[in-house]
């Protein structure tokens, strides 16, 4: 799936991230199979240079606002609470959103479950189609080589980084194109 505007499920979003997005934030082979020499830092269009690294910031609602109906006690919990500043999750967690202290994973993975404030991130409020989103959040940084990025995304998917409490995912990056005047 290359067109992210058609994504309807969490599974489709992960598929787009792993198979389309991540492939395009690093320069890949040329049309004739040649390696992209001297293009470190460029995205796959080979014209735009990534300044810093791309980030994926998640905004979540607090789990205590979502209730399982006593009649169903279903394992398929759905949470229909809308995002707002007052119900935003701002606690840090361990892997799988648990309060564990496992440390045998990369800092990129561990930090993705740590809440970062607006002062740490130096970001702006985002006004979207479904709400206005605060400046903090849980951030994954797309740092490293392509194989590392693929591996990290696979782990984040396995650890259910995006789940029923997720309300927004914002991908941010800065590009420089010397051909633009």
């Amino acid at each position: 799936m290359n067109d992210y505007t058609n994504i309807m499920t969490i599974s489709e979003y992960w598929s787009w991230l792993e198979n389309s997005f991540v492939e395009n934030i690093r320069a890949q082979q040329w049309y004739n199979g040649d390696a992209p020499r001297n293009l470190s830092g460029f995205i796959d269009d080979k014209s735009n240079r990534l300044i810093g690294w791309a980030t994926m910031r998640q905004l979540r609602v607090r789990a205590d606002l979502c209730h399982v109906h006593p009649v169903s006690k279903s394992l398929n919990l759905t949470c229909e609470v809308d995002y707002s500043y007052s119900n935003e999750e701002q606690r840090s967690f361990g892997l799988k959103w648990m309060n564990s202290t496992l440390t045998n994973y990369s800092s990129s993975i561990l930090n993705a479950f740590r809440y970062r404030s607006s002062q740490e991130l130096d970001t702006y409020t985002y006004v979207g189609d479904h709400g206005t989103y605060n400046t903090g959040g849980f951030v994954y940084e797309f740092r490293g080589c392509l194989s590392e990025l693929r591996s990290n995304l696979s782990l984040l998917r396995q650890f259910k980084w995006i789940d029923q409490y997720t309300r927004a995912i914002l991908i941010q990056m800065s590009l420089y194109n010397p051909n633009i005047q």
Side-chain angles (χ1 to χ4, degrees), residues 136-151:
F138 299 87
V139 176
Y140 172 72
E141 298 172 340
F142 289 91
R143 297 175 106 170
C145 64
L146 190 57
S147 63
E148 271 182 83
L149 297 179
R150 285 186 184 128
S151 175

Side-chain angles (χ1 to χ4, degrees), residues 9-11 13-14 17 56-60 97 113 153 155-169:
T9 66
I10 293 172
S11 180
Y13 187 77
W14 281 117
L17 275 174
M56 180 168 57
R57 180 166 59 103
Q58 177 182 163
L59 295 151
R60 302 170 58 79
W97 303 109
F113 291 91
L153 286 176
L155 283 171
L156 287 174
R157 184 179 198 171
Q158 178 184 338
F159 294 147
K160 300 196 181 309
W161 190 70
I162 301 171
D163 64 9
Q164 69 269 22
Y165 305 113
T166 303
R167 291 298 175 269
I169 300 287

